Amino acid sequence: MADSPTALFVCVHNAGRSQMAAGFLRELSGGAVEVRSAGSMPAERINPVAVDAMREVGVDITAEVPKVLTTDAVRASDVVITMGCGDACPIFPGKRYEDWELDDPAGQGIEAVRPIRDDIERRVRDLLDSLGVQPVR
């Protein structure tokens, strides 16, 4: 891995889970990890309930937009974390892959999204630990 590891979060719409994970990794790594997110079939906008849930814990993802998954993004990442994107994510030898089984926040209310958000934060903290990066908060 390079001096600054790169992580890519992938889900179908790049509007909820992957955006929350990317937001947490950006915030908690303090810039020590290059963060990307993408979707196999990106939505038009970020899930507003995911935005609200993240705002509750002090992480702002309002400026983010769903992006399409490209092979270049996978190729340029040290760690690729999939969240329900199935076979849409290209596999390259030598890459570290993780599949995080998480409920989809799409169509859910804030009460259902909070536990998903909290699970994502825990997993991101574990990811930081495995990358040897100390969280800034």
Side-chain angles (χ1 to χ4, degrees):
M1 254 184 259
D3 292 339
S4 179
T6 303
L8 169 65
F9 295 100
V10 182
C11 67
V12 175
H13 300 296
N14 190 221
R17 295 168 288 190
S18 58
Q19 292 286 358
M20 288 191 287
F24 273 126
L25 187 56
R26 259 187 231 99
E27 182 77 19
L28 296 173
S29 75
V33 177
E34 186 177 336
V35 182
R36 297 182 172 102
S37 70
S40 53
M41 295 176 7
E44 290 184 23
R45 64 186 180 113
I46 302 243
N47 179 338
V49 179
V51 171
D52 290 344
M54 294 298 286
R55 186 178 296 123
E56 288 180 348
V57 295
V59 179
D60 184 5
I61 61 171
T62 56
E64 299 303 319
V65 294
K67 296 165 280 307
V68 69
L69 176 65
T70 65
T71 55
D72 287 343
V74 176
R75 194 175 281 123
S77 299
D78 297 308
V79 182
V80 179
I81 294 130
T82 59
M83 305 170 177
C85 73
D87 295 330
C89 189
I91 305 294
F92 291 102
K95 295 289 174 196
R96 175 178 157 193
Y97 290 88
E98 294 183 19
D99 184 48
W100 293 358
E101 289 189 33
L102 298 160
D103 290 335
D104 190 346
Q108 305 281 347
I110 192 78
E111 294 296 326
V113 174
R114 284 181 183 128
I116 298 168
R117 173 204 63 206
D118 295 345
D119 189 12
I120 290 170
E121 180 179 9
R122 180 189 56 77
R123 291 170 188 252
V124 166
R125 287 182 180 279
D126 290 346
L127 175 63
L128 282 169
D129 186 54
S130 75
L131 294 172
V133 176
Q134 184 71 30
V136 296
R137 68 173 183 128

